[in-house]
Amino acid sequence: MRNLIRAQWSRYALSARPVVVYAVMVCASLLFSLAVAFLYTLTVEKTELRVQGDKLLHQAEQQLNQAGASLARVDAVQVADGCDLPRQLLASVVQATPHARYALKVTPEGHGCTSDMSRMDVPGAMQGGRSLQLVANADGSAVIRLAHRGDWISVIELGPEFLVGWLAQLSDDDVSARFVVGEQYLNSQGAVLPKDAEPAAGIAYAAQSTNGQYGVMLAESWGALWSRTLLYHADALLLAMVTGAVLAWALLRRRVARNSSGWEIAQGIRNKEFFTHYQPIVAAENGECVGVEVLARWRHPVQGAIRSDLFIPAAEDAGLIVPLTRYLIRRVTKELKQVALPPGFFVGINIAAEHLGMPDLVEDCKVLLAVLREKKAVLVLEVSERFPLPEHQVTHRVVQDLRQMGVKLALDDFGIGHADRNYLRRWGFDYLKVEKGYVSALGKDSFKTNILDNLLLTSQQLGVQVIVKGVETQGQQNYLTVKGFEFLQGFYFGKPMTLNHFRQWLYSGITQDRTHVPQRAAGVGKPEAASR
Ligand code: C2E
Ligand code: CA
């Protein structure tokens, strides 16, 4: 599963165009640094709001405590027969109290004296004990009223200018500062508003006075936080974008630097740099060409021909072997449409084990199969023994579906892996393609020669046919023919060649007997060298 995800991811990542890699890396880097910068700004701004809020509360407490002390002095004023003396005392309290405008004392009987002869405002609903109120006057102005209700009522009123001044200092388009009393608040314009008049959207800090009668609240909008983030961290964000671009460049460079890199393979597929060669497979008894193996070739625009033992593993590593095989199948389909093939001719295509685990393979093969069916030819999928087929239900179903469509299965590189009889039976291979090393070991390595000799018997028991690869000499051909091997493949008969060369080779061969024409077979080696 991990490998599948890795393969999918690398297929996606490696096949991306450089501009996409740059865009993704720059955006990712920018987003990451933006998130970090925003969190940093958030923390800083929260701290700032707390510091400013605490300072504001402290200042307010200092003033209002002083006013509270003055209220105690109003409490002490005696109101008896007339208001002359009380008024003087109350006026002196007002004078001595910063920001105080008015003081009032009312007896339990309802006789009241004020500091200002022209006013006699007895507050309406008042809670018992000491209280603080924000009062909005009819003219829109505000007053801070400190009151004490016992048997007597004592009141001292303060102008809000000092608070409004401080609130205004802290407020701007982005930050709002409020002095909160109960369900109301005073804003930086001096207006008294209900608490929920303008709910603060963003971050907020609220603190209560020690006596719990009032508090302050500072809030900053999300918009302000974002604009501060962009403003204060513009250079860091710019740096992040440059870093993203540098990372993308390094990534692309690493890819390019790697020989047969995944990215280059993806580019190669897009730019149709891959093409096919065909290597004949012959019947041992008469040298007749009975099949062909399709082999991938890559003509790199800068490096020229790249060996398939380099780019095939690289494509597998990069998770690009499936797209590459798909591309080759499409190409082979187009090419073979133009060729007349002998009936029963088999066309071998190398398939990665991973591809056999994908239901898409059935679709990938359909068009080629239709072309081959018209020519009465057979499609053979060659799967290497190097990578055991995954024992998944999906793989078994894919193999079953392919079989139903008439596709044959060959176990390639037979003899180097760990395939036992059970493995062969389970997957129902039709052909075993013996690894080249067994032929080159003939006459040199008796152990391998014995294995090769015994293979015919085993294959008959299993009902599979054997194709021996890597036949390079007439001696090898003679040996294998005498032993009874049916199908042979190797440079002795024909090297991998372009379609045109293969066509010439095939048609000319129909009129010739290849069994004993080593001169002709050797001559066939030229096309590949010439075409590379
Ligand atoms: P393979 O399937 O064993 O293919 C046969 C390889 O043996 C070919 O090498 C061919 O050129 C070489 N060969 C054929 N006859 C002789 C001979 O008489 N002597 C010697 N010394 N070599 C001979 P090539 O084309 O370089 O391919 C190498 C491997 O790359 C293939 O081995 C196959 O495993 C893989 N490959 C090639 N094309 C594809 C493809 O389209 N898909 C996949 N999945 N693998 C591919
Ligand atoms: Ca093969």
Side-chain angles (χ1 to χ4, degrees):
M1 189 61 172
R2 245 182 76 226
N3 281 346
L4 194 71
I5 294 170
R6 212 187 115 246
Q8 292 286 356
W9 161 246
S10 56
R11 182 176 312 165
Y12 179 77
L14 289 169
S15 59
R17 287 167 186 276
V19 64
V20 176
V21 176
Y22 272 107
V24 168
M25 294 301 285
V26 168
C27 288
S29 180
L30 184 64
L31 284 177
F32 176 74
S33 50
L34 200 60
V36 172
F38 182 76
L39 286 177
Y40 179 76
T41 309
L42 192 72
T43 314
V44 168
E45 292 299 307
K46 270 187 173 174
T47 310
E48 183 66 13
L49 288 185
R50 200 183 64 234
V51 169
Q52 296 294 352
D54 287 345
K55 193 173 151 198
L56 175 64
L57 185 67
H58 180 67
Q59 284 173 318
E61 276 189 316
Q62 272 187 334
Q63 290 297 323
L64 295 171
N65 286 349
Q66 215 174 332
S70 299
L71 187 63
R73 286 177 59 204
V74 176
D75 277 340
V77 172
Q78 300 289 327
V79 176
D81 300 332
C83 274
D84 286 347
L85 184 59
R87 181 168 298 116
Q88 279 177 23
L89 291 171
L90 290 171
S92 69
V93 172
V94 169
Q95 251 182 353
T97 310
H99 317 295
R101 287 182 183 164
Y102 175 69
L104 165 77
K105 179 85 189 240
V106 183
T107 65
E109 296 79 32
H111 299 305
C113 293
T114 69
S115 58
D116 182 347
M117 268 179 78
S118 61
R119 280 181 66 186
M120 181 62 206
D121 314 335
V122 180
M126 265 175 64
Q127 61 197 70
R130 279 177 173 255
S131 65
L132 188 142
Q133 272 180 297
L134 271 179
V135 182
N137 294 324
D139 61 357
S141 63
V143 162
I144 301 162
R145 179 182 290 154
L146 283 88
H148 185 196
R149 182 180 187 138
D151 292 338
W152 297 74
I153 295 173
S154 306
V155 172
I156 185 159
E157 284 184 359
L158 309 180
E161 291 76 16
F162 67 104
L163 270 177
V164 172
W166 293 334
L167 293 174
Q169 271 178 17
L170 296 175
S171 298
D172 56 28
D173 288 347
D174 302 322
V175 177
S176 71
R178 300 167 180 190
F179 177 75
V180 184
V181 181
E183 293 305 306
Q184 290 177 307
Y185 72 88
L186 178 73
N187 70 10
S188 58
Q189 278 93 45
V192 176
L193 297 166
K195 203 172 177 179
D196 51 5
E198 284 171 11
I203 54 167
Y205 174 73
Q208 280 282 318
S209 64
T210 326
N211 59 17
Q213 287 179 338
Y214 54 91
V216 294
M217 192 182 89
L218 267 68
E220 186 169 351
S221 67
W222 292 120
L225 282 170
W226 278 113
S227 57
R228 272 168 219 244
T229 303
L230 295 176
L231 195 71
Y232 298 157
H233 303 287
D235 43 358
L237 296 175
L238 205 68
L239 192 70
M241 284 166 77
V242 173
T243 310
V246 170
L247 282 176
W249 173 80
L251 194 79
L252 290 171
R253 221 174 90 98
R254 233 188 87 222
R255 275 193 207 168
V256 173
R258 256 193 359 209
N259 197 15
S260 304
S261 74
W263 180 76
E264 281 186 294
I265 292 172
Q267 281 289 101
I269 298 174
R270 261 197 295 270
N271 298 339
K272 300 189 170 47
E273 290 161 16
F274 290 93
F275 59 103
T276 46
H277 267 181
Y278 296 83
Q279 186 177 28
I281 297 169
V282 304
E285 56 174 357
N286 57 9
E288 208 54 64
C289 181
V290 291
V292 77
E293 176 178 357
V294 177
L295 291 158
R297 295 289 177 264
W298 186 12
R299 196 181 295 109
H300 190 278
V302 180
Q303 297 175 41
I306 295 187
R307 282 164 39 201
S308 57
D309 58 348
L310 292 179
F311 74 76
I312 294 287
E316 283 167 351
D317 280 356
L320 286 167
I321 191 67
V322 175
L324 177 61
T325 308
R326 271 190 195 133
Y327 167 79
L328 292 171
I329 291 177
R330 282 200 300 273
R331 203 174 161 122
V332 169
T333 309
K334 261 194 211 160
E335 289 183 343
L336 289 187
K337 263 188 195 161
Q338 315 157 22
V339 190
L341 300 170
F345 193 84
F346 49 82
V347 175
I349 305 243
N350 291 290
I351 293 285
E354 166 199 344
H355 202 169
L356 262 186
M358 296 181 175
D360 291 358
L361 177 61
V362 178
E363 275 306 308
D364 296 341
C365 293
K366 270 188 181 159
V367 187
L368 174 60
L369 258 179
V371 170
L372 294 182
R373 232 179 256 137
E374 256 178 44
K375 297 172 190 288
K376 300 197 173 16
V378 182
L379 175 61
V380 180
L381 298 184
E382 301 187 6
V383 204
S384 177
E385 199 193 312
R386 281 172 222 271
F387 310 102
L389 286 173
E391 296 291 341
H392 290 162
Q393 247 186 346
V394 187
T395 316
H396 279 282
R397 197 164 341 112
V398 171
V399 169
Q400 207 178 340
D401 289 351
L402 289 167
R403 286 201 168 290
Q404 276 171 3
M405 289 159 59
V407 176
K408 305 269 182 205
L409 214 58
L411 183 61
D412 206 356
D413 306 317
F414 180 70
I416 57 160
H418 309 284
D420 54 15
R421 281 168 184 255
N422 279 341
Y423 183 80
L424 299 179
R425 282 210 186 94
R426 218 168 29 251
W427 293 101
F429 288 102
D430 303 282
Y431 298 98
L432 298 182
K433 292 193 77 173
V434 183
E435 202 264 323
K436 289 194 282 280
Y438 284 87
V439 173
S440 55
L442 286 176
K444 298 176 201 155
D445 182 339
S446 56
F447 179 69
K448 279 194 164 174
T449 308
N450 277 342
I451 294 178
L452 193 61
D453 289 349
N454 292 330
L455 184 62
L456 269 182
L457 186 64
T458 317
S459 67
Q460 277 156 12
Q461 288 166 352
L462 289 167
V464 293
Q465 289 182 297
V466 178
I467 301 171
V468 184
K469 301 196 296 184
V471 181
E472 293 181 346
T473 66
Q474 191 179 5
Q476 291 167 344
Q477 185 225 358
N478 287 340
Y479 180 90
L480 295 164
T481 311
V482 168
K483 281 282 169 190
F485 285 97
E486 260 181 287
F487 303 117
L488 309 176
Q489 178 183 356
F491 292 169
Y492 179 68
F493 305 102
K495 280 193 173 178
M497 52 190 117
T498 61
L499 181 76
N500 273 341
H501 283 119
F502 174 68
R503 206 171 9 195
Q504 283 167 21
W505 182 89
L506 183 67
Y507 297 157
S508 64
I510 288 169
T511 55
Q512 292 180 32
D513 173 15
R514 286 197 185 93
T515 328
H516 301 293
V517 279
Q519 301 86 345
R520 183 193 178 289
V524 201
K526 283 173 192 155
E528 172 162 64
S531 63
R532 278 193 179 187

